[in-house]
Amino acid sequence: MKLISGAAKLAGVTGWPVAHSRSPRIHGTWIERYGIDGAYVPLAIQPQDFIPAVQGLAKAGFRGVNVTLPHKETAFALCDEVEEFARRVGAVNMLTFQDGRIVGRNYDGFGYVANLRAHGVVPGAGPALILGAGGAARAIAAALQDEGAEVTLTNRTRERAEELARLVPGARVLDWERRAEALGDYALLVNTTALGMAGEGPLEMNLDGAAPGLAVSDIVYAPLETALLANARARGLTPVEGLGMLLHQAVPAFETWFGVRPEVDDELYRIVAA
């Protein structure tokens, strides 16, 4: 059993529910690996209690918290300061308590791009086609644009893709029915929908028209290899699983709160995947 002192650095993840979160396993592994006097804990907070609970955590000496559903909109409004990327994508997933102020950040885009690089994929190598029009799509689209990629959005409901495109200047919109026939025009395919996740419906995506160098990315990580990724692998394309995005987006948060830049490696993958 790991012992901590009265000077321990404290952080956590808050949601309702929060028992499913893998963040405690990620940060807990790093805390043990680097011998840090600290703890990262799950914090199940009901929506009506979120604001006073977070304010109490700040007063109690916590360094900060990650934020998951259903608290993201409330967390954004609670911040005294929101960093530029989080403001662009309209969401925060990390709160840091600094000198009596609450600072909001979003590292989804950072984690996504870092995971591409870890798989040998250059994020700005060519145009990207993003499936879905939710918050993850917005963050990934913005991050890819920052890397120099042209972004096209497609969604089962075209109106939602058009709405997202207005929030991501320069993004194009493609009809959902044309996603397979247009695939040869892209260097990167990104699934940001829940389709293919355990308990959800399948993602119907024909890869016959894919260019030989296409990278196929899925942010779903349960299962670790979705049908989309298995299909890509069978065709000799480059599959990029979703768990790495979760691991890499935790890196800057851990460094901010615990003072060590952690490493994402095979051991961490095994521990979190388990």
Side-chain angles (χ1 to χ4, degrees):
M1 179 178 175
K2 175 178 169 55
L3 299 179
I4 60 176
S5 76
K9 300 173 181 177
L10 303 176
V13 55
T14 174
W16 185 263
V18 78
H20 66 283
S21 175
R22 302 195 187 192
S23 292
R25 182 166 287 222
I26 297 170
H27 290 267
T29 298
W30 285 333
I31 287 170
E32 182 175 353
R33 176 184 294 178
Y34 299 112
I36 292 169
D37 181 13
Y40 182 100
V41 295
L43 301 160
I45 301 174
Q46 295 191 50
Q48 66 270 22
D49 299 327
F50 179 75
I51 292 176
V54 168
Q55 291 171 335
L57 292 171
K59 292 181 182 298
F62 270 65
R63 300 296 181 96
V65 292
N66 288 120
V67 181
T68 187
L69 295 175
H71 300 319
K72 290 192 173 183
E73 289 185 7
T74 307
F76 191 97
L78 181 61
C79 292
D80 298 301
E81 176 187 340
V82 177
E83 289 201 336
E84 191 269 338
F85 186 82
R87 191 171 296 282
R88 279 173 60 199
V89 303
V92 301
N93 60 9
M94 171 189 174
L95 300 177
T96 299
F97 309 137
Q98 296 179 195
D99 302 321
R101 296 171 58 81
I102 298 177
V103 179
R105 299 179 172 92
N106 186 305
Y107 286 119
D108 281 342
F110 170 90
Y112 180 77
V113 167
N115 191 39
L116 287 182
R117 290 199 172 99
H119 286 79
V121 176
V122 178
L129 177 61
I130 298 177
L131 311 181
R138 185 174 175 182
I140 289 170
L144 288 173
Q145 284 184 329
D146 288 349
E147 294 293 327
E150 295 181 355
V151 171
T152 299
L153 306 168
T154 185
N155 191 63
R156 286 171 289 180
T157 304
R158 182 182 172 92
E159 290 75 16
R160 289 201 62 194
E162 291 174 341
E163 179 182 343
L164 179 57
R166 287 191 288 270
L167 300 172
V168 183
R172 302 173 182 175
V173 175
L174 178 74
D175 286 335
W176 182 256
E177 293 74 18
R178 295 194 58 237
R179 66 194 185 282
E181 67 184 72
L183 201 53
D185 297 332
Y186 297 96
L188 173 64
L189 173 67
V190 190
N191 177 38
T192 71
T193 76
L195 296 174
M197 183 186 297
E200 300 287 341
L203 171 63
E204 303 293 342
M205 187 68 207
N206 189 329
L207 300 180
D208 287 347
L214 182 72
V216 179
S217 165
D218 201 329
I219 70 168
V220 170
Y221 56 83
L224 281 175
E225 181 160 274
T226 62
L228 175 66
L229 296 180
N231 190 6
R233 190 182 304 279
R235 293 173 180 274
L237 306 176
T238 302
V240 181
E241 43 67 41
L243 182 59
M245 175 179 169
L246 180 69
L247 302 182
H248 284 282
Q249 64 87 24
V251 168
F254 188 89
E255 183 178 22
T256 297
W257 297 329
F258 296 106
V260 175
R261 183 80 173 179
E263 182 181 0
V264 174
D265 56 13
D266 290 343
E267 181 188 29
L268 183 69
Y269 267 87
R270 288 194 299 271
I271 290 170
V272 179

